[in-house]
Amino acid sequence: MTTRTTVAAVREETPQEDRLIFLNQALREAVDEEMQRDPAVFVLGEEIGVWGGAYKVTEGLLEKHGPNRIIDTPISEALIAGAAVGAAITGHRPIAEFMYSDFMGIAMDQIVNQAAKNRYMFGGKATLPIVYRAATGAGIGNAAQHTQSLEAWFTHVPGLKVVTPSTPYEAKGLLKSAIRDDNVVIFLEHKALYASRGNVPEGEYLVPLGVSDVKRVGAHATIVTYSRQVIFALEAAEQLAQEGIEVEVVDLRTLYPLDIATAITSIQKTNHALVVHEAVQFGGFGGEIASQIQEQAFDYLDAPVVRLGALHSPVPFSEPLEFGSFPSVEKIAEAVRVLLSRA
Amino acid sequence: MTTRTTVAAVREETPQEDRLIFLNQALREAVDEEMQRDPAVFVLGEEIGVWGGAYKVTEGLLEKHGPNRIIDTPISEALIAGAAVGAAITGHRPIAEFMYSDFMGIAMDQIVNQAAKNRYMFGGKATLPIVYRAATGAGIGNAAQHTQSLEAWFTHVPGLKVVTPSTPYEAKGLLKSAIRDDNVVIFLEHKALYASRGNVPEGEYLVPLGVSDVKRVGAHATIVTYSRQVIFALEAAEQLAQEGIEVEVVDLRTLYPLDIATAITSIQKTNHALVVHEAVQFGGFGGEIASQIQEQAFDYLDAPVVRLGALHSPVPFSEPLEFGSFPSVEKIAEAVRVLLSRA
Amino acid sequence: MRIRRFEEAAEEAFRNARMRGALHFYIGEEATATGVCADLRTDDYITSTHRGHGHCIAKGGQLNKMMAELFGRVTGYCGGKGGSMHIADLDLGILGANGIVGAGIPIAAGAALGAKIRGEDRIAVCFFGEGAGPTGAFHEGVNFAAVQDLPVVFVCENNKYGMATTSDKANAGPSIAGRGVAYGIPGIKVDGNDVFAVNAVARDAIDRARRGKGPTLIEAETYRFKGHTVHDMAPYRAKEELEAWLKKDPIERFRQVMKSKKLLTVKDMDQIDEDVAREVEASIEFAEASPYPSLDAIEQGVYAD
Amino acid sequence: MRIRRFEEAAEEAFRNARMRGALHFYIGEEATATGVCADLRTDDYITSTHRGHGHCIAKGGQLNKMMAELFGRVTGYCGGKGGSMHIADLDLGILGANGIVGAGIPIAAGAALGAKIRGEDRIAVCFFGEGAGPTGAFHEGVNFAAVQDLPVVFVCENNKYGMATTSDKANAGPSIAGRGVAYGIPGIKVDGNDVFAVNAVARDAIDRARRGKGPTLIEAETYRFKGHTVHDMAPYRAKEELEAWLKKDPIERFRQVMKSKKLLTVKDMDQIDEDVAREVEASIEFAEASPYPSLDAIEQGVYAD
Ligand SMILES: Cc1ncc(C[n+]2csc(CCOP(=O)(O)OP(=O)(O)O)c2C)c(N)n1
Ligand SMILES: Cc1ncc(C[n+]2csc(CCOP(=O)(O)OP(=O)(O)O)c2C)c(N)n1
Ligand SMILES: [Mg+2]
Ligand SMILES: [Mg+2]
């Protein structure tokens, strides 16, 4: 399984050369390249044109591709989601941007009852190649209505795929795969990562949907996570290494389709599993991950699978409270220590 | 823990006398009694007045309480949810009905970003005693947009409580508790249960939120479930009893607050746990239940916690497909057999 | 040519009147779908509603596949997975009936946006009931279409009721057509039971959209002869009201005009009537003779691979 | 009495002009909130927006608690949990600023519905920007208020931009006020930078609502002097446009009128200015001197028990 990942890595993911860019630049390149590659691709959303996108992902694309393919919409999230459905079912490949994933609540009917189900309800005939992009996550003082991590809602809806990149390299490769995918893909970008820099090779490459990645190898415990928490988990692993605890970090990268096998293989080796995400722990996607782990690796576990997510509250505004509400490097490290102390 | 349940049962749940009525009648009595008890209670929603509610829950209440308290709204789900917020925050106790929980997608912003968060965002000052009622579930040929089980979305939102009754008796007692609760309660009524009959005592009684109920006692395996699947689980238990397999059935009744202790106590006895719900299995609330079970009863489990939910598709229209898509009595019984065969 | 179209119109109208086994009947409202679709090209798009049989047939939908879908058979339009509320025929530009009131409006705007982006002269027609008038989807969809001058025609079928709710209890303001002003687009009211009047208004709106002049909002006044669903006896409606409308039966009126204008003889029309009747009966036989889908179809068709 | 109110108005306007540390500045639009709230009772309700400081102050909000909230301190209106976009003071009928554009509209309708049910003569005022004009929430909320004749006044602050989007790119049709016709309610345009004009229009609308005559839709034409947020330099706006509007500074105009009508002397006004300045500085000191909430507050206040 790890092999499969590595194979995939070798086949599609080897950086050709070194080039450090920001994650939002990486996303821009993905959109730009795919727009050049396929005339059916266009972008619609709020403030994506003149403003360049709230997080500048589409900056400069209006000038380059014109108002016919970079479409500024009014504040009408249901329209954005629904127009993407109408355009997709008639042959386009729309990329619809929600400024914040929190606003998708306004568009849930179009996303869930229309986009996700049309193909199935119509007997498998319709094809809806839509990417719904949205800025997600907390950590920059946006308060409760601009900070949620709602991936769990979407993973529960058959007909949707869910992608949660953690690095600029993967952000670009995964977005290009999502745009070329013939399904409805929910692409969740952590807003605290837009300004993170990483190595992104020049030119064409893809990161396939549905393939987890082992971000760090270790023998004692496995952390299964995704999105920004991958970065925190790697830092925690670094700290723990000082203490002689070797942690393996598995980045799921896509939540549906879910490659759990990579995590299972790791846990069969480490016998300890910690599932981490920034979303509220209760009812979060961690429940699916933990359940599958204990279903598939029951006999390998020296301790119960432990989950670490946000406390049970909306995201508070005040800085100390906000940072105290979701998993931190310290909390992750501590959770691993407790997990191992149990065996 | 089971003791606690029993105590609660004795204190608040002993039927005074026998009276068989339909579940939608039981709900009607709860609404009617609470409206008489508290002038702050009113109902708004689509077709709840003249029509009497799509499933006749509010039938006759317009005549009895007048158009000022039984308010027919236009087809405006966001308005229904938002008006409830505005009325609640200014002192009312609105009961807002969504004809089908599928339509709540249109109102998710008001439910999640407004209703659930206002109290917290305003520093714990605001009180929003709202009950959002909705018909949920499949089984009567309504097709993909009128059949979803979306409880997992709501359990993941801090600020919401989630209630899922399985019998007329509990439907009435839980709804009365929900109406008196000072929080936002999502009350999900399985539409295939509206016509189910059960014993409901005359007069006043409550079923508290946050207390699970052991619906059947058994020594070999524990089925943890809620809503309509409780009925299926009990039938399956009946079948299995013929084979000498004694199954304990735990009805969670409310998903938040969640009384998992009752299930844990049971599993510490049976050492085998099957989690069942009608909702799509992947990303469903079963993940939370299974995770908590293995976290809290790890050393008691002879086998991994098994989940049984709907297949990974929207609900199909064609009868054989629809019934084949979610757990049935037969599938539950078979899952128990497989679970026990493993030990 | 006009006659030819009217013949099609008549045929389709009759067909609608003969639909059975459906959940939401279109009976009494046939002239609207017929009058509008008569001027659409096969490659034009329509979005429909929960009461969608008429729209589907008027756009050329096949009775056999429709009926089989209502019966949940594998030979149905959706292989039995969609049912009455989700019939679609993408080859005919029928983007689907819809179980969510108002949801077709943003979708129609999107289809029109797509046509505009490609620089084609295809247009989209969006059917919706007056009950969808209060939905946010209506507002977001029409406003965007107007801002972008999209090639779409919004056709409100005002049959006076949304379940038991009368139009005035649902929609503020004098009329749906009257909202055109608010969006800066033409808003036109028309007798929805007069296929010729509907056709005349629709033709202009369709032509306007095709020429890139933007959307039009048409309100067709009609009436639901039957209850909301097959189960509803509509006790909330006055007997007199129904009887008054029955006198305006769009098909009767069509027959009168045809006769008086000598465009079709009574004999011709009875002939069409018979043919249609036979076709409908045949579709039922077809449906009943068709098998149900197999259980392994449940998880198929969710994703494209 | 009028003078008194204008003094309050002036004072409040000045205060707004002095707000700092906020994310979304109301600077340049003060006359609207001031002119509207001047005629509201303490027990009337308002719903506000992401640009809510002005509404809050105009309704009587306390600078100390506001500033402390912006600083995320425990002494803030929300104990630091809400921040600028979620300030509320239920005792003053301030039902909250809102981070979701348009979301306050159904909430205001609900508050008005509540007052109507109780048979009180309280009313609700709903502030929203023209950027909320295209939202489904706007349509669902205004339509329902109109159908039910609710005691609510909808006040659209048309400051010409929603971030970089001009009003005409967001809203179809001639104007927001013009939509009143569609809902069968009065729609009135007013110079939002003239506190007296706003007050005159608002007074009628408030009175109308209080007398149970239903909602009114007011469109106040104004301008955002600053960028959308503290970070935005608004490169998308023409320098000339901004300068032209700066000449219409509502506070300058207010001072002129006061002077010419001899209602307040320049001295008085400078005095008020100074007092306010001191008050604002004091609020900043208060905020900075206040502690942050403790970590165990994170899970408190989510549920009522
Ligand atoms: C968003 C949404 N809300 C409620 C319903 C339930 N519902 C189905 S049809 C209907 C009435 C629709 O009335 P109208 O749009 O006038 O269409 P008609 O039935 O009169 O043809 C309602 C309330 C729904 N399907 N979707
Ligand atoms: C539903 C929703 N969509 C998008 C946003 C992001 N956003 C915040 S303010 C704003 C512009 C609002 O413009 P307007 O309503 O005119 O208010 P103004 O900022 O001009 O005062 C946008 C798009 C949001 N907060 N909520
Ligand atoms: Mg109707
Ligand atoms: Mg604005």
Side-chain angles (χ1 to χ4, degrees), chain A residues 79 90 92 114 120 125 160 183, chain C residues 77-78 98 114 118 140 298 303-304:
Chain A
L79 174 281
T90 56
H92 287 269
Q114 313 300 330
Y120 188 77
K125 299 205 193 77
L160 300 181
N183 296 285
Chain C
Y77 259 121
C78 315
N98 210 311
R118 285 192 299 264
E140 294 194 1
I298 294 173
Y303 294 92

mmCIF file with all atom_site columns, all heavy atoms in Angstrom, chain A residues 79 90 92 114 120 125 160 183, chain C residues 77-78 98 114 118 140 298 303-304:
data_model
loop_
_atom_site.group_PDB
_atom_site.id
_atom_site.type_symbol
_atom_site.label_atom_id
_atom_site.label_alt_id
_atom_site.label_comp_id
_atom_site.label_asym_id
_atom_site.label_entity_id
_atom_site.label_seq_id
_atom_site.pdbx_PDB_ins_code
_atom_site.Cartn_x
_atom_site.Cartn_y
_atom_site.Cartn_z
_atom_site.occupancy
_atom_site.B_iso_or_equiv
_atom_site.pdbx_formal_charge
_atom_site.auth_seq_id
_atom_site.auth_comp_id
_atom_site.auth_asym_id
_atom_site.auth_atom_id
_atom_site.pdbx_PDB_model_num
ATOM 1   N N   . LEU A 1 79  ? -27.075 30.739 -6.318  1.00 0.00 ? 79  LEU A N   1
ATOM 2   C CA  . LEU A 1 79  ? -26.954 30.938 -7.767  1.00 0.00 ? 79  LEU A CA  1
ATOM 3   C C   . LEU A 1 79  ? -25.603 30.421 -8.260  1.00 0.00 ? 79  LEU A C   1
ATOM 4   O O   . LEU A 1 79  ? -25.529 29.724 -9.274  1.00 0.00 ? 79  LEU A O   1
ATOM 5   C CB  . LEU A 1 79  ? -27.122 32.422 -8.095  1.00 0.00 ? 79  LEU A CB  1
ATOM 6   C CG  . LEU A 1 79  ? -26.918 32.937 -9.516  1.00 0.00 ? 79  LEU A CG  1
ATOM 7   C CD1 . LEU A 1 79  ? -25.436 33.097 -9.869  1.00 0.00 ? 79  LEU A CD1 1
ATOM 8   C CD2 . LEU A 1 79  ? -27.622 32.073 -10.538 1.00 0.00 ? 79  LEU A CD2 1
ATOM 9   N N   . THR A 1 90  ? -24.508 21.010 -19.248 1.00 0.00 ? 90  THR A N   1
ATOM 10  C CA  . THR A 1 90  ? -24.576 21.327 -20.676 1.00 0.00 ? 90  THR A CA  1
ATOM 11  C C   . THR A 1 90  ? -23.177 21.420 -21.292 1.00 0.00 ? 90  THR A C   1
ATOM 12  O O   . THR A 1 90  ? -22.989 22.103 -22.293 1.00 0.00 ? 90  THR A O   1
ATOM 13  C CB  . THR A 1 90  ? -25.337 22.649 -20.902 1.00 0.00 ? 90  THR A CB  1
ATOM 14  O OG1 . THR A 1 90  ? -24.706 23.684 -20.138 1.00 0.00 ? 90  THR A OG1 1
ATOM 15  C CG2 . THR A 1 90  ? -26.776 22.514 -20.463 1.00 0.00 ? 90  THR A CG2 1
ATOM 16  N N   . HIS A 1 92  ? -19.915 22.291 -19.815 1.00 0.00 ? 92  HIS A N   1
ATOM 17  C CA  . HIS A 1 92  ? -18.780 23.072 -19.307 1.00 0.00 ? 92  HIS A CA  1
ATOM 18  C C   . HIS A 1 92  ? -18.119 22.370 -18.127 1.00 0.00 ? 92  HIS A C   1
ATOM 19  O O   . HIS A 1 92  ? -18.624 21.374 -17.611 1.00 0.00 ? 92  HIS A O   1
ATOM 20  C CB  . HIS A 1 92  ? -19.254 24.468 -18.886 1.00 0.00 ? 92  HIS A CB  1
ATOM 21  C CG  . HIS A 1 92  ? -19.567 25.355 -20.051 1.00 0.00 ? 92  HIS A CG  1
ATOM 22  N ND1 . HIS A 1 92  ? -18.636 26.181 -20.625 1.00 0.00 ? 92  HIS A ND1 1
ATOM 23  C CD2 . HIS A 1 92  ? -20.713 25.513 -20.757 1.00 0.00 ? 92  HIS A CD2 1
ATOM 24  C CE1 . HIS A 1 92  ? -19.194 26.831 -21.640 1.00 0.00 ? 92  HIS A CE1 1
ATOM 25  N NE2 . HIS A 1 92  ? -20.445 26.437 -21.747 1.00 0.00 ? 92  HIS A NE2 1
ATOM 26  N N   . GLN A 1 114 ? -28.861 19.006 -5.976  1.00 0.00 ? 114 GLN A N   1
ATOM 27  C CA  . GLN A 1 114 ? -28.759 19.114 -7.439  1.00 0.00 ? 114 GLN A CA  1
ATOM 28  C C   . GLN A 1 114 ? -27.421 18.550 -7.936  1.00 0.00 ? 114 GLN A C   1
ATOM 29  O O   . GLN A 1 114 ? -27.379 17.500 -8.556  1.00 0.00 ? 114 GLN A O   1
ATOM 30  C CB  . GLN A 1 114 ? -28.935 20.572 -7.878  1.00 0.00 ? 114 GLN A CB  1
ATOM 31  C CG  . GLN A 1 114 ? -30.125 21.294 -7.238  1.00 0.00 ? 114 GLN A CG  1
ATOM 32  C CD  . GLN A 1 114 ? -31.469 20.651 -7.532  1.00 0.00 ? 114 GLN A CD  1
ATOM 33  O OE1 . GLN A 1 114 ? -31.656 20.041 -8.574  1.00 0.00 ? 114 GLN A OE1 1
ATOM 34  N NE2 . GLN A 1 114 ? -32.406 20.774 -6.604  1.00 0.00 ? 114 GLN A NE2 1
ATOM 35  N N   . TYR A 1 120 ? -26.984 10.656 -10.743 1.00 0.00 ? 120 TYR A N   1
ATOM 36  C CA  . TYR A 1 120 ? -27.632 9.424  -10.282 1.00 0.00 ? 120 TYR A CA  1
ATOM 37  C C   . TYR A 1 120 ? -29.129 9.430  -10.572 1.00 0.00 ? 120 TYR A C   1
ATOM 38  O O   . TYR A 1 120 ? -29.667 8.480  -11.138 1.00 0.00 ? 120 TYR A O   1
ATOM 39  C CB  . TYR A 1 120 ? -27.403 9.262  -8.785  1.00 0.00 ? 120 TYR A CB  1
ATOM 40  C CG  . TYR A 1 120 ? -27.863 7.937  -8.235  1.00 0.00 ? 120 TYR A CG  1
ATOM 41  C CD1 . TYR A 1 120 ? -27.105 6.786  -8.427  1.00 0.00 ? 120 TYR A CD1 1
ATOM 42  C CD2 . TYR A 1 120 ? -29.061 7.830  -7.523  1.00 0.00 ? 120 TYR A CD2 1
ATOM 43  C CE1 . TYR A 1 120 ? -27.521 5.556  -7.918  1.00 0.00 ? 120 TYR A CE1 1
ATOM 44  C CE2 . TYR A 1 120 ? -29.477 6.610  -7.013  1.00 0.00 ? 120 TYR A CE2 1
ATOM 45  C CZ  . TYR A 1 120 ? -28.708 5.477  -7.211  1.00 0.00 ? 120 TYR A CZ  1
ATOM 46  O OH  . TYR A 1 120 ? -29.120 4.268  -6.718  1.00 0.00 ? 120 TYR A OH  1
ATOM 47  N N   . LYS A 1 125 ? -26.814 9.223  -16.508 1.00 0.00 ? 125 LYS A N   1
ATOM 48  C CA  . LYS A 1 125 ? -26.556 9.808  -17.836 1.00 0.00 ? 125 LYS A CA  1
ATOM 49  C C   . LYS A 1 125 ? -25.829 11.149 -17.756 1.00 0.00 ? 125 LYS A C   1
ATOM 50  O O   . LYS A 1 125 ? -24.907 11.421 -18.504 1.00 0.00 ? 125 LYS A O   1
ATOM 51  C CB  . LYS A 1 125 ? -27.878 9.971  -18.581 1.00 0.00 ? 125 LYS A CB  1
ATOM 52  C CG  . LYS A 1 125 ? -28.596 8.640  -18.813 1.00 0.00 ? 125 LYS A CG  1
ATOM 53  C CD  . LYS A 1 125 ? -29.527 8.683  -20.011 1.00 0.00 ? 125 LYS A CD  1
ATOM 54  C CE  . LYS A 1 125 ? -30.454 7.480  -20.040 1.00 0.00 ? 125 LYS A CE  1
ATOM 55  N NZ  . LYS A 1 125 ? -31.580 7.600  -19.066 1.00 0.00 ? 125 LYS A NZ  1
ATOM 56  N N   . LEU A 1 160 ? -20.409 13.352 -4.206  1.00 0.00 ? 160 LEU A N   1
ATOM 57  C CA  . LEU A 1 160 ? -19.373 14.380 -4.040  1.00 0.00 ? 160 LEU A CA  1
ATOM 58  C C   . LEU A 1 160 ? -18.018 13.723 -3.790  1.00 0.00 ? 160 LEU A C   1
ATOM 59  O O   . LEU A 1 160 ? -17.942 12.644 -3.193  1.00 0.00 ? 160 LEU A O   1
ATOM 60  C CB  . LEU A 1 160 ? -19.695 15.292 -2.852  1.00 0.00 ? 160 LEU A CB  1
ATOM 61  C CG  . LEU A 1 160 ? -20.994 16.085 -2.884  1.00 0.00 ? 160 LEU A CG  1
ATOM 62  C CD1 . LEU A 1 160 ? -21.113 16.940 -1.619  1.00 0.00 ? 160 LEU A CD1 1
ATOM 63  C CD2 . LEU A 1 160 ? -21.067 16.962 -4.126  1.00 0.00 ? 160 LEU A CD2 1
ATOM 64  N N   . ASN A 1 183 ? -16.509 14.439 -11.962 1.00 0.00 ? 183 ASN A N   1
ATOM 65  C CA  . ASN A 1 183 ? -17.472 14.471 -10.871 1.00 0.00 ? 183 ASN A CA  1
ATOM 66  C C   . ASN A 1 183 ? -17.479 15.818 -10.156 1.00 0.00 ? 183 ASN A C   1
ATOM 67  O O   . ASN A 1 183 ? -16.674 16.698 -10.472 1.00 0.00 ? 183 ASN A O   1
ATOM 68  C CB  . ASN A 1 183 ? -17.149 13.355 -9.868  1.00 0.00 ? 183 ASN A CB  1
ATOM 69  C CG  . ASN A 1 183 ? -17.296 11.981 -10.506 1.00 0.00 ? 183 ASN A CG  1
ATOM 70  O OD1 . ASN A 1 183 ? -18.415 11.510 -10.724 1.00 0.00 ? 183 ASN A OD1 1
ATOM 71  N ND2 . ASN A 1 183 ? -16.165 11.367 -10.839 1.00 0.00 ? 183 ASN A ND2 1
ATOM 72  N N   . TYR C 2 77  ? -36.644 6.537  -18.197 1.00 0.00 ? 77  TYR C N   1
ATOM 73  C CA  . TYR C 2 77  ? -35.657 7.578  -18.522 1.00 0.00 ? 77  TYR C CA  1
ATOM 74  C C   . TYR C 2 77  ? -34.455 7.532  -17.591 1.00 0.00 ? 77  TYR C C   1
ATOM 75  O O   . TYR C 2 77  ? -33.330 7.800  -17.993 1.00 0.00 ? 77  TYR C O   1
ATOM 76  C CB  . TYR C 2 77  ? -36.310 8.956  -18.460 1.00 0.00 ? 77  TYR C CB  1
ATOM 77  C CG  . TYR C 2 77  ? -36.672 9.505  -19.819 1.00 0.00 ? 77  TYR C CG  1
ATOM 78  C CD1 . TYR C 2 77  ? -37.982 9.822  -20.132 1.00 0.00 ? 77  TYR C CD1 1
ATOM 79  C CD2 . TYR C 2 77  ? -35.692 9.705  -20.782 1.00 0.00 ? 77  TYR C CD2 1
ATOM 80  C CE1 . TYR C 2 77  ? -38.315 10.328 -21.389 1.00 0.00 ? 77  TYR C CE1 1
ATOM 81  C CE2 . TYR C 2 77  ? -36.013 10.203 -22.038 1.00 0.00 ? 77  TYR C CE2 1
ATOM 82  C CZ  . TYR C 2 77  ? -37.319 10.509 -22.336 1.00 0.00 ? 77  TYR C CZ  1
ATOM 83  O OH  . TYR C 2 77  ? -37.633 11.008 -23.568 1.00 0.00 ? 77  TYR C OH  1
ATOM 84  N N   . CYS C 2 78  ? -34.690 7.221  -16.325 1.00 0.00 ? 78  CYS C N   1
ATOM 85  C CA  . CYS C 2 78  ? -33.604 7.212  -15.339 1.00 0.00 ? 78  CYS C CA  1
ATOM 86  C C   . CYS C 2 78  ? -33.290 5.798  -14.852 1.00 0.00 ? 78  CYS C C   1
ATOM 87  O O   . CYS C 2 78  ? -32.731 5.624  -13.761 1.00 0.00 ? 78  CYS C O   1
ATOM 88  C CB  . CYS C 2 78  ? -33.989 8.089  -14.146 1.00 0.00 ? 78  CYS C CB  1
ATOM 89  S SG  . CYS C 2 78  ? -34.723 9.666  -14.588 1.00 0.00 ? 78  CYS C SG  1
ATOM 90  N N   . ASN C 2 98  ? -37.719 18.590 -11.178 1.00 0.00 ? 98  ASN C N   1
ATOM 91  C CA  . ASN C 2 98  ? -36.999 18.879 -9.951  1.00 0.00 ? 98  ASN C CA  1
ATOM 92  C C   . ASN C 2 98  ? -37.913 18.784 -8.738  1.00 0.00 ? 98  ASN C C   1
ATOM 93  O O   . ASN C 2 98  ? -39.010 19.324 -8.747  1.00 0.00 ? 98  ASN C O   1
ATOM 94  C CB  . ASN C 2 98  ? -36.373 20.281 -10.029 1.00 0.00 ? 98  ASN C CB  1
ATOM 95  C CG  . ASN C 2 98  ? -35.105 20.385 -9.217  1.00 0.00 ? 98  ASN C CG  1
ATOM 96  O OD1 . ASN C 2 98  ? -35.083 19.985 -8.052  1.00 0.00 ? 98  ASN C OD1 1
ATOM 97  N ND2 . ASN C 2 98  ? -34.039 20.873 -9.832  1.00 0.00 ? 98  ASN C ND2 1
ATOM 98  N N   . GLY C 2 114 ? -23.876 29.114 -19.941 1.00 0.00 ? 114 GLY C N   1
ATOM 99  C CA  . GLY C 2 114 ? -23.008 28.251 -20.745 1.00 0.00 ? 114 GLY C CA  1
ATOM 100 C C   . GLY C 2 114 ? -23.156 28.540 -22.234 1.00 0.00 ? 114 GLY C C   1
ATOM 101 O O   . GLY C 2 114 ? -22.164 28.672 -22.955 1.00 0.00 ? 114 GLY C O   1
ATOM 102 N N   . ARG C 2 118 ? -20.264 30.043 -24.804 1.00 0.00 ? 118 ARG C N   1
ATOM 103 C CA  . ARG C 2 118 ? -19.878 29.383 -26.069 1.00 0.00 ? 118 ARG C CA  1
ATOM 104 C C   . ARG C 2 118 ? -20.258 30.224 -27.275 1.00 0.00 ? 118 ARG C C   1
ATOM 105 O O   . ARG C 2 118 ? -19.931 29.888 -28.412 1.00 0.00 ? 118 ARG C O   1
ATOM 106 C CB  . ARG C 2 118 ? -20.554 28.018 -26.163 1.00 0.00 ? 118 ARG C CB  1
ATOM 107 C CG  . ARG C 2 118 ? -19.962 26.930 -25.274 1.00 0.00 ? 118 ARG C CG  1
ATOM 108 C CD  . ARG C 2 118 ? -20.514 25.553 -25.645 1.00 0.00 ? 118 ARG C CD  1
ATOM 109 N NE  . ARG C 2 118 ? -21.965 25.503 -25.464 1.00 0.00 ? 118 ARG C NE  1
ATOM 110 C CZ  . ARG C 2 118 ? -22.553 25.030 -24.357 1.00 0.00 ? 118 ARG C CZ  1
ATOM 111 N NH1 . ARG C 2 118 ? -21.812 24.591 -23.362 1.00 0.00 ? 118 ARG C NH1 1
ATOM 112 N NH2 . ARG C 2 118 ? -23.863 25.019 -24.248 1.00 0.00 ? 118 ARG C NH2 1
ATOM 113 N N   . GLU C 2 140 ? -32.235 35.023 -6.786  1.00 0.00 ? 140 GLU C N   1
ATOM 114 C CA  . GLU C 2 140 ? -30.820 34.950 -7.162  1.00 0.00 ? 140 GLU C CA  1
ATOM 115 C C   . GLU C 2 140 ? -30.663 34.597 -8.640  1.00 0.00 ? 140 GLU C C   1
ATOM 116 O O   . GLU C 2 140 ? -29.805 35.134 -9.335  1.00 0.00 ? 140 GLU C O   1
ATOM 117 C CB  . GLU C 2 140 ? -30.090 33.923 -6.282  1.00 0.00 ? 140 GLU C CB  1
ATOM 118 C CG  . GLU C 2 140 ? -30.031 34.335 -4.820  1.00 0.00 ? 140 GLU C CG  1
ATOM 119 C CD  . GLU C 2 140 ? -29.027 33.520 -3.997  1.00 0.00 ? 140 GLU C CD  1
ATOM 120 O OE1 . GLU C 2 140 ? -28.341 32.633 -4.545  1.00 0.00 ? 140 GLU C OE1 1
ATOM 121 O OE2 . GLU C 2 140 ? -28.935 33.790 -2.779  1.00 0.00 ? 140 GLU C OE2 1
ATOM 122 N N   . ILE C 2 298 ? -27.854 -0.258 -7.502  1.00 0.00 ? 298 ILE C N   1
ATOM 123 C CA  . ILE C 2 298 ? -28.004 0.766  -6.462  1.00 0.00 ? 298 ILE C CA  1
ATOM 124 C C   . ILE C 2 298 ? -26.802 1.695  -6.382  1.00 0.00 ? 298 ILE C C   1
ATOM 125 O O   . ILE C 2 298 ? -26.940 2.917  -6.392  1.00 0.00 ? 298 ILE C O   1
ATOM 126 C CB  . ILE C 2 298 ? -28.256 0.117  -5.078  1.00 0.00 ? 298 ILE C CB  1
ATOM 127 C CG1 . ILE C 2 298 ? -29.601 -0.597 -5.060  1.00 0.00 ? 298 ILE C CG1 1
ATOM 128 C CG2 . ILE C 2 298 ? -28.205 1.186  -3.981  1.00 0.00 ? 298 ILE C CG2 1
ATOM 129 C CD1 . ILE C 2 298 ? -29.865 -1.398 -3.800  1.00 0.00 ? 298 ILE C CD1 1
ATOM 130 N N   . TYR C 2 303 ? -21.053 8.002  -9.415  1.00 0.00 ? 303 TYR C N   1
ATOM 131 C CA  . TYR C 2 303 ? -19.873 8.737  -9.889  1.00 0.00 ? 303 TYR C CA  1
ATOM 132 C C   . TYR C 2 303 ? -19.545 8.350  -11.326 1.00 0.00 ? 303 TYR C C   1
ATOM 133 O O   . TYR C 2 303 ? -19.820 7.235  -11.761 1.00 0.00 ? 303 TYR C O   1
ATOM 134 C CB  . TYR C 2 303 ? -18.653 8.418  -9.015  1.00 0.00 ? 303 TYR C CB  1
ATOM 135 C CG  . TYR C 2 303 ? -18.766 8.908  -7.585  1.00 0.00 ? 303 TYR C CG  1
ATOM 136 C CD1 . TYR C 2 303 ? -19.287 8.079  -6.591  1.00 0.00 ? 303 TYR C CD1 1
ATOM 137 C CD2 . TYR C 2 303 ? -18.377 10.199 -7.235  1.00 0.00 ? 303 TYR C CD2 1
ATOM 138 C CE1 . TYR C 2 303 ? -19.403 8.531  -5.275  1.00 0.00 ? 303 TYR C CE1 1
ATOM 139 C CE2 . TYR C 2 303 ? -18.494 10.658 -5.924  1.00 0.00 ? 303 TYR C CE2 1
ATOM 140 C CZ  . TYR C 2 303 ? -19.002 9.821  -4.960  1.00 0.00 ? 303 TYR C CZ  1
ATOM 141 O OH  . TYR C 2 303 ? -19.123 10.274 -3.668  1.00 0.00 ? 303 TYR C OH  1
ATOM 142 N N   . ALA C 2 304 ? -18.969 9.285  -12.053 1.00 0.00 ? 304 ALA C N   1
ATOM 143 C CA  . ALA C 2 304 ? -18.430 8.989  -13.379 1.00 0.00 ? 304 ALA C CA  1
ATOM 144 C C   . ALA C 2 304 ? -16.993 8.534  -13.162 1.00 0.00 ? 304 ALA C C   1
ATOM 145 O O   . ALA C 2 304 ? -16.323 9.031  -12.254 1.00 0.00 ? 304 ALA C O   1
ATOM 146 C CB  . ALA C 2 304 ? -18.444 10.245 -14.233 1.00 0.00 ? 304 ALA C CB  1
#
